[in-house]
Amino acid sequence: YQRRVHGDFKKGKMTDKEENPMKKKLAIAHQEGLPARVFMFIPNIVGYLRIASLSVAFFFCTKDYRLFLTFYIISYILDQVDGMAARHFKQCSKFGAMLDMMIDRSATVSLMVLLGSIYPNWFGYFLGMALIDIVSHWYQMYSSVLWGADTHKAGLADENILVQFYYKFPGVLFTCVLGAESYTCGLYWMHYDPEMNNLGLFKVGFAAAAFIFHFKQLISVVQLWASWNRIVAKDLSLIHISEPTRRYAISYAVFCLKKKN
């Protein structure tokens, strides 16, 4: 790896003394079967069920819209269950957090591609929404871990007030996700069952879901900008910079760590 210190590049290589303890810990963990235990945590098993449910859903996505919606909704319900299971059984894990993130993003992209195929004139719109979702969450996850947070939902001291509102205010995250899923599933449903457009209650619900979906996308853009600034602040704390800027970067890092602790 390379690290820039006071304007000079210094190269370092992990020595055997530094490397061996890590290998020893991993060997002991494998001997005791610890990785298998993590893989079989109840919330992670729920995640595997989500993968199976989504696989069945998208297998039927162009064959039977009712089966698609049924299994897609089952996957969404399981998404709510895995978080509750992790907290109830005290089985939160970094693997589980990444698994949940991967499934969420895969489901979103797959559904956006599906909608783009059945609404070809709006393909660019759906592609853009998918890219915003993926890029924003990836940067949020990376920048959060970079500053010592456990997950992208943990929040840091510098977090934008809108992003804090999204992740921390009770019910907001659930409502936004529910609204966004209702909007995209509603678009899919209307394509295969045009009669839904004639139902007044469906129109009202779809309009509300559309607003929530685009509000969620706005939060993703704000989240992306905040993540970029967080990563740049980390760069400023590592490279050779002017003394006032260095002091600002260091104070920023101390502020984040104090807030975390």
Side-chain angles (χ1 to χ4, degrees), residues 64-209:
D64 190 323
Y65 77 92
R66 294 183 182 87
L67 283 176
F68 169 82
L69 289 173
T70 298
F71 282 97
Y72 192 89
I73 292 172
I74 290 173
S75 174
Y76 172 76
I77 294 172
L78 291 174
D79 185 27
Q80 308 307 311
V81 171
D82 66 359
M84 292 186 292
R87 291 185 291 271
H88 178 74
F89 294 104
K90 295 180 171 37
Q91 292 182 339
C92 298
S93 65
K94 295 186 184 301
F95 172 77
M98 291 303 299
L99 179 66
D100 184 62
M101 167 76 80
M102 180 275 294
I103 297 172
D104 288 344
R105 304 288 73 76
S106 298
T108 298
V109 172
S110 299
L111 185 53
M112 289 299 175
V113 171
L114 174 61
L115 291 173
S117 67
I118 62 179
Y119 295 104
N121 292 336
W122 290 90
F123 183 80
Y125 163 76
F126 292 116
L127 179 62
M129 296 299 100
L131 288 175
I132 290 174
D133 184 76
I134 294 174
V135 174
S136 173
H137 281 84
W138 188 89
Y139 270 104
Q140 174 73 1
M141 172 68 82
Y142 178 77
S143 62
S144 298
V145 172
L146 195 64
W147 282 101
D150 293 329
T151 71
H152 70 290
K153 298 178 182 178
L156 292 170
D158 72 310
E159 203 77 84
N160 179 276
I161 187 172
L162 189 60
V163 179
Q164 285 190 2
F165 173 73
Y166 177 70
Y167 283 119
K168 295 300 181 182
F169 198 82
V172 173
L173 177 60
F174 173 81
T175 302
C176 287
V177 173
L178 177 62
E181 296 290 356
S182 299
Y183 171 69
T184 50
C185 287
L187 285 171
Y188 173 84
W189 194 356
M190 285 190 295
H191 175 77
Y192 288 98
D193 189 1
E195 292 298 321
M196 295 300 299
N197 289 317
N198 298 327
L199 299 178
L201 186 61
F202 179 84
K203 288 182 179 180
V204 173
F206 181 77

Side-chain angles (χ1 to χ4, degrees), residues 147-150 155-157 255-261:
W147 282 101
D150 293 329
L156 292 170
F255 176 67
C256 287
L257 290 172
K258 284 184 177 178
K259 190 71 175 180
K260 181 192 172 199
N261 295 330

Side-chain angles (χ1 to χ4, degrees), residues 211-261:
F211 173 81
I212 294 173
F213 172 84
H214 291 96
F215 175 72
K216 185 175 182 292
Q217 296 302 107
L218 172 63
I219 292 176
S220 293
V221 173
V222 174
Q223 176 179 263
L224 178 61
W225 175 249
S227 300
W228 283 350
N229 280 277
R230 200 176 299 124
I231 294 171
V232 169
K234 191 68 173 180
D235 286 333
L236 294 177
S237 67
L238 296 178
I239 64 176
H240 178 66
I241 52 179
S242 64
E243 191 58 31
T245 309
R246 181 184 296 280
R247 285 199 300 267
Y248 167 76
I250 293 174
S251 63
Y252 176 91
V254 172
F255 176 67
C256 287
L257 290 172
K258 284 184 177 178
K259 190 71 175 180
K260 181 192 172 199
N261 295 330

